Amino acid sequence: MKKQLVGSLSILAFAVAGSLSPAMAEDYTDFGIEQDLPGTCNYAAIDAKDYSGRKLNIITHAIPVIGEPTALHSEQFAKLTGAEVNVVHVPFGDLFQRIMIPFQSGQNAYDVMFYGSLWIGDFNRFLAPVPEAYVASTGMENVTDSFKGVASWNGQMIQYPMDGDRHYLKYRTDVFENEELQARFLADTGRALTVPATWEEYNEVAAYFSGFDWDGDGEVNFGSAEVAKRDDLMFSAFISRAAPYAKHPDVTGGFFFDLETMEPLINTPGFVRGLELFVEAQAAFPPGGSNFGLGDEIFSFGGGQTLMSYSWDDAFIQAQQEDSRIRNMVAAAPLPGAHEVWNRDTGQWDSFEDPNRAPYMTWGWTSAVSAQSEEKEMAFDYLCFFANETNTFHDLQIGRFGVNPYRTSHFDSTFWQGLGWDAAVADSYVATLAGMEESANRVYDLRVPGVSQFMSSMANGVAEAMAGQKTPQEALDGVAEEWRGIVDRIGEDRLREAYANLVRLEDGDN
């Protein structure tokens, strides 16, 4: 654009350009947007920047998830600012090491990184704090408290929020609201067909609706699609199932470990109960379902094969695509809970008349700027542009992009209705997501040095139980023993200091 007319403006000057009405601003629709929304880092504000002759190096995930929007907004940023932007796409299995090795060797390899937010425990000392001007930007104003917490370390924001991830229940409303199926379920089970409030109810409903064509499409249907493949995020599915049994609302000081002693809690009765129900749930999986990865779960539920699923937004968004045969035949709800919750302070089970809920804010994508970067201003400008109001609303509409709601403004039912969602579907979606933000009993992913070792150990143990090689208790006892060894190798004090950041999030002290 008009690079010869402007110099390098400060981020605070962006607010003037960002406040212009669409009628006063330049037309940026050739960038693939309907209009340039007001905001600190909107198209007009970034167009006022001149980075000609300068280069920005970015590492990100492979296309499409996160990798595709990274490339799209990099191309737009380059056209607006005159910068040269180099984007490196890396498969997920290689991404951690491709970022970590240059950090450890002191190489200034990348200015901007996109990666899994749970790696903050390993990356934190190599990241540049987000400058206050960007923290005060319009795009940061209504980022939810939980995802500001995910972006922070020792009270300082060092990751740039651009995604929000959580697990929640997805189900087929055309089945749960079908009077004939309701009557059949009542006659056979003695209770009304309701959206599962506990994991026991989930398993019961899933098993009942497995093995027959309940939606009349000529294909056999099944009860549940779950991420059960050991090397494909299965540990997150297990955390969702174990959380309400192991996360007691009146017990503080750690979910995965006892913060004071750093003794693993992974083999305590709440986690064991969750694993027992995960093993039992396999009876309601589609053929091959015990080896489903995330992609399989997305297309099994999103394609209409299964009655229910739970994990990230993707399966729900897939079901709501314009060409989906089950569009507007789905709804969202909180993860199932538990009537009995293990109290590790008293060493006994406590009963809850209303099921205990423990919303799971899963690891999600995040971004950051390297402390070694010589282009920090341009790097933060890029991230602020990536996450501006215009780009985020665009990216939320494209399921494969992997950008999910992380601002309170995203919990607006009318926005989703504007995409063709029925009001009831949109309302269930935003109410579920907003309700998780209001919970005082949330669970987050482990965020400590060596997190990949802990999660790999957990996944291996859960897989042994799922395969019938060990009982759930035996499997998790083995995981706990491995975790103790990892703690010894990394150092108890170092891990405790890092784990305290997570415990503050869990206990609502962030």
Side-chain angles (χ1 to χ4, degrees), residues 346-358:
T346 63
Q348 63 184 14
W349 291 96
D350 288 342
S351 297
F352 288 74
E353 182 176 353
D354 294 325
N356 176 54
R357 308 275 187 168

Side-chain angles (χ1 to χ4, degrees), residues 26-44:
E26 286 197 51
D27 181 5
Y28 294 97
T29 55
D30 58 340
F31 283 80
I33 60 174
E34 293 185 6
Q35 68 176 33
D36 186 22
L37 299 176
T40 302
C41 292
N42 69 353
Y43 281 74

Side-chain angles (χ1 to χ4, degrees), residues 28-164:
Y28 294 97
T29 55
D30 58 340
F31 283 80
I33 60 174
E34 293 185 6
Q35 68 176 33
D36 186 22
L37 299 176
T40 302
C41 292
N42 69 353
Y43 281 74
I46 296 301
D47 191 14
K49 286 282 187 172
D50 186 0
Y51 289 123
S52 301
R54 295 162 70 176
K55 184 176 182 179
L56 192 68
N57 290 310
I58 301 173
I59 185 169
T60 188
H61 188 233
I63 290 174
V65 178
I66 296 302
E68 190 170 349
T70 303
L72 171 64
H73 301 317
S74 296
E75 181 180 356
Q76 294 164 336
F77 186 84
K79 289 179 180 178
L80 289 166
T81 66
E84 178 186 350
V85 184
N86 176 47
V87 179
V88 176
H89 295 273
V90 178
F92 186 78
D94 300 329
L95 188 57
F96 177 87
Q97 290 298 335
R98 287 288 297 273
I99 296 173
M100 192 63 172
I101 290 173
F103 279 161
Q104 292 175 323
S105 61
Q107 300 175 45
N108 182 22
Y110 306 106
D111 302 293
V112 174
M113 296 80 59
F114 289 87
Y115 58 89
S117 63
L118 78 171
W119 296 339
I120 191 173
D122 291 288
F123 290 169
N124 65 87
R125 65 188 188 276
F126 303 109
L127 305 181
V130 179
E132 181 56 36
Y134 295 85
V135 175
S137 67
T138 60
M140 205 74 76
E141 281 179 356
N142 62 6
V143 173
T144 69
D145 289 342
S146 63
F147 289 109
K148 284 180 180 177
V150 167
S152 300
W153 192 259
N154 289 331
Q156 184 176 49
M157 185 178 289
I158 61 172
Q159 296 183 148
Y160 206 101
M162 37 64 65
D163 178 38

Side-chain angles (χ1 to χ4, degrees), residues 132-369:
E132 181 56 36
Y134 295 85
V135 175
S137 67
T138 60
M140 205 74 76
E141 281 179 356
N142 62 6
V143 173
T144 69
D145 289 342
S146 63
F147 289 109
K148 284 180 180 177
V150 167
S152 300
W153 192 259
N154 289 331
Q156 184 176 49
M157 185 178 289
I158 61 172
Q159 296 183 148
Y160 206 101
M162 37 64 65
D163 178 38
D165 283 290
R166 71 283 283 168
H167 279 193
Y168 58 92
L169 175 64
K170 298 96 173 166
Y171 65 94
R172 290 278 295 272
T173 53
D174 59 322
V175 173
F176 279 89
E177 297 172 2
N178 183 295
E179 292 183 358
E180 180 180 339
L181 292 173
Q182 289 174 343
R184 176 175 167 177
F185 184 86
L186 177 61
D188 290 344
T189 68
R191 74 172 186 89
L193 176 61
T194 57
V195 177
T198 66
W199 283 110
E200 286 87 353
E201 290 181 3
Y202 183 100
N203 282 9
E204 178 190 21
V205 172
Y208 185 87
F209 284 96
S210 285
F212 68 98
D213 179 14
W214 37 253
D215 63 359
D217 67 347
E219 300 289 339
V220 175
N221 296 103
F222 299 89
S224 180
E226 309 186 29
V227 181
K229 184 178 181 180
R230 181 184 61 187
D231 299 323
D232 197 341
L233 303 173
M234 174 253 273
F235 68 84
S236 291
F238 168 59
I239 292 171
S240 276
R241 279 185 166 272
Y245 302 95
K247 182 68 166 66
H248 197 292
D250 299 324
V251 176
T252 59
F255 173 69
F256 293 104
F257 295 91
D258 181 310
L259 180 62
E260 184 176 335
T261 66
M262 288 307 292
E263 174 65 16
L265 303 174
I266 190 67
N267 62 334
T268 54
F271 282 97
V272 174
R273 177 72 61 83
L275 184 50
E276 289 171 346
L277 290 166
F278 198 11
V279 172
E280 175 188 288
Q282 294 178 101
F285 289 179
S290 293
N291 200 40
F292 270 15
L294 178 58
D296 302 304
E297 182 245 0
I298 291 170
F299 291 106
S300 180
F301 177 81
Q305 183 186 35
T306 44
L307 177 66
M308 299 180 293
S309 76
Y310 62 94
S311 75
W312 291 267
D313 281 291
D314 307 88
F316 195 82
I317 301 300
Q318 180 66 32
Q320 284 297 102
Q321 295 296 300
E322 289 186 11
D323 59 351
S324 170
R325 71 177 182 85
I326 62 169
R327 193 181 200 208
N328 290 319
M329 298 162 61
V330 298
L335 283 176
H339 283 301
E340 289 190 319
V341 186
W342 180 252
N343 186 327
R344 64 182 173 86
D345 284 348
T346 63
Q348 63 184 14
W349 291 96
D350 288 342
S351 297
F352 288 74
E353 182 176 353
D354 294 325
N356 176 54
R357 308 275 187 168
Y360 176 29
M361 317 303 283
T362 69
W363 78 272
W365 296 104
T366 193
S367 59
V369 172

